[in-house]
Amino acid sequence: MARTRYVVAVALVLAVAGCSGDSSPLPAPTGPPTATATSPATKAPDTACNPRASLRPSGALPKPGRMPAGSWMAEIQKRGRLILGTSQDTLLFSSRNPFTGKVEGFDVDMGRQVAAAIFGNPDKIQIKVIGYDERVSAARDGSVDLVADTMTANCERWADVHFSTVYYEAGQKVLVSTDSPAKSIEDLGGKKVCAAAGSTSYDNIATVRSQPAPVAVAKPAFGDCLVAFQQNEVDAISTDDTILAGMAAQDPYAKVIGPKFTEEPYGMAMSQDHPEFTRFVNAVLERSRADGTWKATYEKWLGEFGPAPAPPAAEYR
């Protein structure tokens, strides 16, 4: 099929993305702060939780550079940078710019808003590239301050980490070749459908009710799924519609089909050890919704898909 000619181009993009971390210079670190013990009060609720509901902000945001003593924000300020965990191959949300070497996108800008609130400077941020299957563990063990990586907030993950309020509403669809007759994922029974290991997208493929069922294939990242698709190793890719739109933009022989068959509310993940930080991030998101920053960020990265919708409303526990 003609789409195989695009393998080399995509492989080159992935090769550029192979180096770890962001290429921008970082302030000299003063050493990671010591994590505090987790108290039972900061643990997530049971499986009856509403995964969209987060911790309510505890008042107005402090002025940048004046974080409350003893808070995790003060520790981040002392360190001199916010550490953001994200991917480097999710076009439009968090992908490495092959010209500048920097990881950029909608998710990265969400993290930059938090850095700006702490420091008064959105560039006080370190990008740490993590795998999809490392998103929960990286937030939980404190190896990053914040994960913004097209990550669906659900009750299972709430048992291990805190999530911010929802900052983006996505839904799972399917990408197939332009000559495929499939209209939805139910039409792909017996076909190989790729998703990133550790993602809810991979889990959702197994829930499709068709006879035979689609065959879920796991790859380390969605960039690897795209290469496998272009090499005809898999028949389709299934994940959030926004991620698929970025893939389709890279391959004129691919198309996105079907209605959304899941709801994927994106939240930023953080350690449960620091509930004050979760409340702080939610206050940043409240301001972003109110002052037009969220809308401007949407238009910057996703405006080609149409006018910015209203940002997701905050829900609190």
Side-chain angles (χ1 to χ4, degrees):
M1 183 178 293
R3 58 184 165 90
T4 56
R5 75 182 66 178
Y6 287 86
V7 172
V8 174
V10 173
L12 286 175
V13 172
L14 293 175
V16 171
C19 50
S20 62
D22 193 83
S23 62
S24 53
L26 300 174
T30 58
T34 302
T36 59
T38 305
S39 67
T42 67
K43 286 295 184 183
D46 61 21
T47 54
C49 76
N50 172 5
R52 295 173 177 270
S54 186
L55 306 185
R56 188 177 296 276
S58 54
L61 283 166
K63 291 184 178 180
R66 298 182 181 180
M67 296 298 104
S71 69
W72 192 249
M73 299 82 77
E75 293 290 351
I76 295 171
Q77 180 182 316
K78 181 179 177 182
R79 185 199 303 144
R81 67 197 188 281
L82 172 79
I83 303 175
L84 175 71
T86 193
S87 63
Q88 62 181 353
D89 62 355
T90 307
L91 191 66
L92 306 177
F93 277 81
S94 53
S95 62
R96 192 174 294 277
N97 185 315
F99 300 103
T100 66
K102 293 184 177 181
V103 177
E104 60 186 20
F106 188 90
D107 279 347
V108 175
D109 278 3
M110 289 292 109
R112 287 168 60 84
Q113 290 176 34
V114 178
I118 295 173
F119 298 101
N121 182 352
D123 295 331
K124 295 272 191 176
I125 190 168
Q126 175 187 350
I127 305 296
K128 184 173 182 179
V129 174
I130 57 176
Y132 267 75
D133 57 353
E134 299 173 328
R135 293 177 298 178
V136 170
S137 61
R140 182 180 57 210
D141 66 20
S143 57
V144 300
D145 299 310
L146 191 65
V147 172
D149 192 10
T150 61
M151 187 174 182
T152 300
N154 60 33
C155 288
E156 181 181 5
R157 288 170 173 169
W158 260 102
D160 292 309
V161 298
H162 278 172
F163 279 101
S164 71
T165 53
V166 176
Y167 69 90
Y168 191 87
E169 293 279 2
Q172 190 164 342
K173 290 188 176 183
V174 185
L175 179 141
V176 296
S177 62
T178 52
D179 59 3
S180 172
K183 301 297 183 183
S184 70
I185 193 168
E186 285 81 6
D187 297 329
L188 296 173
K191 302 293 186 180
K192 294 180 180 179
V193 181
C194 190
S199 68
T200 57
S201 300
Y202 179 81
D203 297 335
N204 291 337
I205 294 170
T207 68
V208 175
R209 297 182 181 275
S210 65
Q211 293 295 331
V215 179
V217 176
K219 293 290 183 181
F222 283 109
D224 300 301
C225 280
L226 182 57
V227 172
F229 172 75
Q230 292 177 322
Q231 291 178 331
N232 297 314
E233 294 176 6
V234 299
D235 301 288
I237 304 169
S238 184
T239 186
D240 302 347
D241 50 354
T242 46
I243 300 174
L244 294 179
M247 292 183 183
Q250 300 175 69
D251 189 342
Y253 296 95
K255 64 181 179 180
V256 180
I257 61 168
K260 297 178 183 179
F261 62 94
T262 67
E263 291 184 358
E264 307 295 337
Y266 292 169
M268 290 184 273
M270 295 147 280
S271 169
Q272 294 180 355
D273 292 351
H274 312 293
E276 77 283 0
F277 184 49
T278 304
R279 297 180 191 278
F280 178 87
V281 170
N282 285 337
V284 173
L285 289 175
E286 284 276 20
R287 184 172 67 183
S288 180
R289 296 182 188 99
D291 68 7
T293 300
W294 188 94
K295 179 182 177 183
T297 305
Y298 183 98
E299 291 174 344
K300 175 182 177 181
W301 296 107
L302 305 168
E304 65 185 271
F305 303 116
E315 296 183 40
Y316 296 112
R317 294 174 183 268

